[in-house]
Amino acid sequence: MTLILGSGSPRRLELLAQIGVVPDDIRPPDIDETPRKAELPRPYCARMAREKVAAVPCGDDDIVLCADTTVALGRRILGKPADAAEAETFLRMMSGRRHKVITAVAVKRGGRLWERDVQSAVRMKSLSDAEIAAYLATGDWRGKAGGYGIQGPAGALVPWISGSFTGIVGLPLAETANLLTAAGHPPLKGSA
């Protein structure tokens, strides 16, 4: 049995290591992540995780783990910004407001699929022009849904969360551990 992580995210790899899971292989899928017309954030995120896990080449007994993280401001999906200007737009939209971070996880083994999504609430402080400029200058916004990563410099911009910190980072560990256990790959295997 081979465990394949269908993600190129270094954050997901680090989070898995926290629960004693080291994938045998990493195979990021190449899929179209464009939201459908009028698609809501939570169903979009779950669909992305399912499409990712289906797109990863694997053997019949391999276990494939994929996830998708989406930042939602109301019904609007804030994806990975294309450039610093879009990241700035996202930060200004979230400034002083609450938004949701949804991470959907899908695990596949053979013809079986296990999935779960976790929704967390995040409040970003009211940001000054100087704070936005300083954060953008770090480059930390690149490749991150909503244009920020709570585990990096943007942590200073987030005074309050409700939900799963690891889900906000990109992989809710308790839920992921349960899905892996269901698929026959329990984390934190020790000598009992």
Side-chain angles (χ1 to χ4, degrees):
M1 168 188 6
T2 300
L3 175 63
I4 301 163
L5 174 61
S7 173
S9 165
R11 294 166 297 283
R12 290 195 177 115
L13 197 56
E14 291 164 6
L15 287 167
L16 283 173
Q18 289 179 22
I19 58 171
V21 174
V22 178
D24 299 298
D25 199 3
I26 297 174
R27 300 178 194 164
D30 183 21
I31 65 165
D32 179 4
E33 297 189 36
T34 306
R36 294 177 179 152
K37 186 170 175 56
E39 189 170 27
L40 295 175
R42 198 167 187 169
Y44 162 78
C45 191
R47 179 174 67 84
M48 286 297 96
R50 282 192 303 273
E51 288 185 10
K52 286 177 180 180
V53 84
V56 173
C58 62
D60 289 341
D61 202 40
D62 292 343
I63 296 173
V64 179
L65 166 66
C66 290
D68 186 76
T69 301
T70 298
V71 172
L73 191 58
R75 299 166 62 94
R76 183 171 179 176
I77 296 168
L78 303 182
K80 295 173 185 168
D83 53 31
E86 188 173 33
E88 179 179 354
T89 298
F90 289 173
L91 291 170
R92 290 191 185 283
M93 289 169 59
M94 292 182 287
S95 176
R97 300 177 64 189
R98 286 188 187 181
H99 60 275
K100 289 186 168 65
V101 178
I102 304 142
T103 297
V105 182
V107 174
K108 176 180 80 168
R109 182 174 184 182
R112 297 210 45 203
L113 177 71
W114 296 267
E115 56 185 321
R116 177 82 196 273
D117 66 77
V118 175
Q119 185 169 273
S120 302
V122 178
R123 184 171 65 80
M124 193 164 281
K125 68 183 251 178
S126 293
L127 302 174
S128 68
D129 290 345
E131 287 169 319
I132 291 172
Y135 179 69
L136 292 173
T138 70
D140 189 61
W141 55 268
R142 287 185 180 87
K144 295 186 175 84
Y148 78 96
I150 195 170
Q151 72 282 5
L157 310 177
V158 178
W160 179 90
I161 71 163
S162 176
S164 168
F165 179 79
T166 58
I168 296 167
V169 174
L171 194 66
L173 290 181
E175 294 78 7
T176 300
N178 288 340
L179 296 176
L180 287 172
T181 299
H185 194 291
L188 299 172
K189 292 180 279 194
S191 54

